[in-house]
Amino acid sequence: MKNKTPQILLIYTGGTIGMVREYDSGSLRAFNFNNLVQQIPELYQLDCTIHSVSFSKPIDSSNMNLSHWKQIASIIEKQYSDYDGFVVLHGSDTMSYTASALSFMLENLAKPVILTGSQLPIGDLRTDAKENLITSIQFASLREGGQAVIQEVCLYFENKLFRGNRTTKMNAEQFEAFDSPNYPALAYSGVHLSVQREFLLKKQSRKALKVHLKLDNRIGILKLFPGIHEQWVSALLQTPGLKALVLESYGAGNAPTEPWMIHALKEAVDRGLHIVNVTQCRGGSVLMGQYETSVELAQIPLIDGKDITTEAALAKLMYLLGSRVSSNSFKTIFEASLRGEMA
Ligand code: ASP
């Protein structure tokens, strides 16, 4: 499929974007993506060739799970040499989780994989779907010197292109549904598309794409709150088979200093549970040791989640556990940035 215009593959997984409203009943129904270009004639104006594949049963992204992530990654793996870029159409609810997971699953990525969706269906009069779709395709088509300008997993929504594993959904109502609190936007869409090249992930090596399909979801989240109960914390830490946990702590990585809390966390880490300290604040970073309330967490030691999002921390844990990283090096590897997901 060698052709001068960029070849773009759309992967439709479901979500609001792929719905059209029936004129008579007002109800929403799934859109036939095989006829995509006919139904959105604006796509004819783009300087690229578009093909699409669809999940046989498009899903609301609340139903996204590991098998769907594997399906998306496998499609990209199979079609990698035939296409210059990939646009994944996805419900917005779990888009940041999928973007984070794909970023770890697709090692040595040298082509753009852009996730997008919309708050209103593609057939709605005031839809944000067309702009999100068209601009995502344009970003996926950008090339320079025979190479893709964007070589990472991104999320495009409401005029901004973000690094996918830095995003979080922060609004269920506004068109501006996503934010990347700890990393600048990679590009903006205004009158022109402006790419902030200094923030793009540079391809680290010339190695071929390596797709990791083994993920391990024997993990969990513990979110702290004032008044948290000892029984609840111990029950969670004793969950049979649990391999790793994201601890959503306060502020710069702080937790209650009550002896039962520190003891429960230490006992779990000594048993081999990997516990990552991530802040429950939307922006900013864990800085263990800055306050007295995090000194003992550093001594246990918990894994330093730095400025990673909870979404990316979960995906990274699934990826590292799936890759059978040894217990001895787990903390060191987690604390290193693998795909630009942390400082
Ligand atoms: N519930 C929908 C989903 O995530 C919302 C959306 O598409 O934006 O699939």
Side-chain angles (χ1 to χ4, degrees):
M1 207 184 290
K2 294 282 172 265
N3 199 315
K4 279 221 179 91
T5 60
Q7 306 285 314
I8 303 298
L9 183 65
L10 296 185
I11 304 171
Y12 175 53
T13 68
T16 305
I17 190 166
M19 309 254 164
V20 281
R21 203 175 291 280
E22 301 273 12
Y23 274 114
D24 304 340
S25 62
S27 63
L28 293 170
R29 67 167 166 80
F31 182 88
N32 179 359
F33 261 76
N34 297 327
N35 304 326
L36 181 74
V37 185
Q38 285 91 317
Q39 305 225 29
I40 311 174
E42 290 92 331
L43 295 179
Y44 280 120
Q45 295 174 34
L46 295 173
D47 197 14
C48 60
T49 308
I50 302 166
H51 293 106
S52 62
V53 289
S54 170
F55 274 13
S56 52
K57 259 201 187 159
I59 56 166
D60 184 295
S61 77
S62 303
N63 285 318
M64 218 14 100
N65 61 35
L66 270 58
S67 71
H68 299 113
W69 290 346
K70 289 177 197 173
Q71 213 179 322
I72 301 168
S74 299
I75 294 173
I76 294 171
E77 182 175 31
K78 271 200 207 103
Q79 310 286 348
Y80 194 66
S81 53
D82 287 336
Y83 289 92
D84 299 300
F86 302 85
V87 174
V88 181
L89 298 162
H90 193 291
S92 61
D93 288 348
T94 61
M95 197 185 292
S96 293
Y97 293 87
T98 300
S100 298
L102 288 176
S103 76
F104 295 110
M105 295 169 85
L106 305 172
E107 190 177 354
N108 303 323
L109 188 65
K111 297 182 180 185
V113 172
I114 300 180
L115 283 90
T116 196
S118 65
Q119 295 281 53
L120 284 175
I122 205 150
D124 249 52
L125 219 45
R126 294 174 50 253
T127 189
D128 52 333
K130 281 191 187 179
E131 196 281 321
N132 285 348
L133 173 59
I134 289 167
T135 311
S136 294
I137 295 172
Q138 287 184 312
F139 277 124
S141 305
L142 289 181
R143 296 184 66 73
E144 203 176 69
Q147 286 211 334
V149 171
I150 293 151
Q151 307 191 1
E152 57 183 294
V153 177
C154 299
L155 186 154
Y156 179 79
F157 229 87
E158 190 62 6
N159 304 327
K160 291 191 194 110
L161 184 76
F162 296 118
R163 174 165 302 151
N165 59 28
R166 288 292 198 154
T167 62
T168 191
K169 183 171 179 181
M170 49 88 184
N171 203 304
E173 154 75 18
Q174 315 234 319
F175 287 147
E176 197 171 354
F178 288 89
D179 194 12
S180 168
N182 286 331
Y183 199 76
L186 303 180
Y188 295 95
S189 147
V191 174
H192 302 288
L193 300 185
S194 95
V195 180
Q196 311 228 84
R197 284 166 192 266
E198 66 273 34
F199 299 125
L200 296 176
L201 198 63
K202 296 282 167 299
K203 201 183 169 203
Q204 322 268 308
S205 69
R206 292 184 167 270
K207 289 189 190 150
L209 176 75
K210 189 168 174 196
V211 179
H212 301 269
L213 297 178
K214 287 204 177 102
L215 301 174
D216 188 336
N217 64 351
R218 286 176 291 175
I219 64 173
I221 303 184
L222 168 55
K223 181 170 183 158
L224 297 181
F225 57 91
I228 192 164
H229 200 274
E230 180 175 357
Q231 232 177 339
W232 162 240
V233 173
S234 335
L236 203 70
L237 293 173
Q238 299 290 342
T239 306
L242 192 70
K243 297 268 176 215
L245 188 83
V246 172
L247 175 75
E248 279 200 355
S249 59
Y250 303 128
N254 308 315
T257 50
E258 286 168 82
W260 68 260
M261 171 68 83
I262 302 301
H263 179 264
L265 294 172
K266 178 154 176 40
E267 187 275 324
V269 169
D270 288 348
R271 263 196 282 123
L273 191 73
H274 304 291
I275 305 184
V276 184
N277 188 1
V278 164
T279 175
Q280 53 184 255
C281 294
R282 212 159 52 141
S285 181
V286 162
L287 282 170
M288 281 192 279
Q290 191 188 26
Y291 289 90
E292 192 199 342
T293 44
S294 66
V295 169
E296 285 176 295
L297 301 182
Q299 286 165 350
I300 286 176
L302 298 193
I303 298 172
D304 189 347
K306 302 180 188 175
D307 62 350
I308 200 169
T309 60
T310 294
E311 292 88 332
L314 291 168
K316 194 169 181 177
L317 285 178
M318 289 192 206
Y319 162 67
L320 294 182
L321 290 172
S323 307
R324 298 185 170 275
V325 166
S326 77
S327 284
N328 289 344
S329 47
F330 200 94
K331 182 173 185 296
T332 312
I333 296 180
F334 193 100
E335 289 176 353
S337 173
L338 302 180
R339 310 280 193 269
E341 74 282 2
M342 55 162 50

